[in-house]
C-alpha cells in the first residue's frame, strides 16, 4: 500500500512540472528608446565617458522607407540576434 501511494505521489508531482503557472503579468521597467534623442540620452546615462557613439550614422538611416524609429528597432533586434549567433558559434568552437 505504501509503495503504490509513493508511486502515485511521485507521478502527480512530476506531472505538475508541465502545468502552466498562472501569474499576474509583470511590467517591465525598461523602456525601449526609439528615437535618436532617446538613444543619446540613454548612452550618456549608461556610459558618461564615451557618451553617444555612432560613427556610421546608422541611427539617421531610414531602411526600406519604414521610418527612423522602425530602423532603430530593426537594428536593435539584429544586434541581439547576431550576438546570440556569435555566442553559439563560440560554444561550438570550444566543444
Amino acid at each position: 500500500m505504501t509503495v503504490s501511494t509513493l508511486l502515485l505521489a511521485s507521478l502527480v508531482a512530476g506531472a505538475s512540472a508541465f502545468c502552466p503557472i498562472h501569474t499576474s503579468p509583470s511590467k517591465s521597467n525598461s523602456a525601449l528608446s526609439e528615437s535618436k534623442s532617446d538613444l543619446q540620452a540613454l548612452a550618456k546615462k549608461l556610459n558618461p565617458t564615451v557618451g553617444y557613439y555612432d560613427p556610421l550614422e546608422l541611427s539617421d538611416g531610414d531602411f526600406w522607407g519604414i521610418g527612423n524609429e522602425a530602423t532603430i528597432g530593426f537594428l536593435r533586434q539584429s544586434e541581439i540576434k547576431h550576438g546570440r549567433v556569435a555566442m553559439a558559434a563560440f560554444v561550438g568552437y570550444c566543444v
Side-chain angles (χ1 to χ4, degrees):
M1 176 88 179
T2 59
V3 174
S4 63
T5 305
L6 288 174
L7 181 62
L8 181 63
S10 67
L11 289 175
V12 170
S16 67
F18 299 103
C19 296
I21 299 172
H22 299 287
T23 60
S24 62
S26 63
K27 293 187 178 187
S28 175
N29 291 338
S30 62
L32 294 178
S33 303
E34 294 295 335
S35 67
K36 185 175 179 178
S37 61
D38 292 338
L39 291 176
Q40 290 172 342
L42 184 64
K44 190 66 175 170
K45 184 177 87 172
L46 293 177
N47 190 354
T49 304
V50 175
Y52 181 72
Y53 183 70
D54 186 15
L56 298 178
E57 298 179 359
L58 292 175
S59 62
D60 292 332
D62 184 12
F63 298 175
W64 304 289
I66 57 176
N68 192 10
E69 289 82 13
T71 299
I72 291 173
F74 170 78
L75 291 173
R76 179 182 294 116
Q77 288 178 351
S78 64
E79 182 178 2
I80 291 170
K81 177 181 69 173
H82 288 98
R84 290 176 179 166
V85 169
M87 287 186 279
F90 178 74
V91 170
Y93 176 76
C94 290
V95 174

